[in-house]
Amino acid sequence: MTTDSVLVARDEAIWTVTINRPRARNACDMATVKRLHDVFAEFEADDTARAAVLTGAAGGGFCAGADLHELSSGASIGFSWAGEDKGLTRRQTTKPVIAAVHGHAVAAGLALAVCCDLRVADATAVFGVFCRRYGGPMPNGATVRLPRLIGQSRALDMMLTGRAVEAEEAFAIGLANRLVPAGEALAAAQALARELAAFPQTAMLSDRASLIDQWNWPEDEAIRREVAGAAAAFETDFQSGAGRFVAGHGRHGDFGAE
């Protein structure tokens, strides 16, 4: 499964999706954004897929945002990455996606990183709203997701100033979940994806769904929905899983796939 600008590799339950435009610092033109949208729709529909890793091709960083050559031509003015028509960052999958960040994840590339569940950053990672420097807005979900991840004060600092946030600071403020040496982001993200894929899925996914959805509801309704969403796990894995755990299986985090 490949295109010129998006590569997809499957290793059992794990998909690795790579933005493949290194000469453009893995900046995305409209065709690439739409292809990424379609790839993640395919990931969502594949019952054998449990987790995905999103990264940028070597030599180009994670993603430098929108393709400025296309923008400057006027061809993509008005196109929103979070729009209704193939808006990639509008999509919320029901399965975890992990960003493997090396180099720059800036402007709309930052939006790609924060629409993932987790971010594994290597020592070369740089995050930032670099489009602030040339008058670009962020209609890509980042003004909503970023403050939910790191708080409004820190998000405003990034959004208003457009400054670079390097890997260690990103880890310290919770923008990056894991910090690894240079060159190790992809392998670490894939290992994390395999870890998630190995857990019994029903409970993990219901907890994930509740955590993401709770922003939409008052506390009492969010908790009601949390309880309702967990019902399937009680009906399937919980009792048998508890019994296996009591017997010693899974005590060190290797619970095994369903």
Side-chain angles (χ1 to χ4, degrees), residues 10-15 43 47-52 95 193-194 197-198:
R10 297 179 60 175
D11 181 8
E12 297 181 345
I14 307 304
W15 286 34
F43 164 72
D47 291 338
T48 68
R50 291 192 167 188
K95 296 178 270 193
R194 287 192 291 272

Side-chain angles (χ1 to χ4, degrees), residues 14-26:
I14 307 304
W15 286 34
T16 299
V17 181
T18 303
I19 302 167
N20 186 39
R21 304 188 78 222
R23 293 184 180 179
R25 299 175 63 213
N26 291 323

Side-chain angles (χ1 to χ4, degrees), residues 25 60-63 101-106 122-127:
R25 299 175 63 213
F62 178 75
C63 176
V101 181
H102 60 99
H104 285 73
V106 297
D122 80 7
T124 70
V126 178
F127 301 85

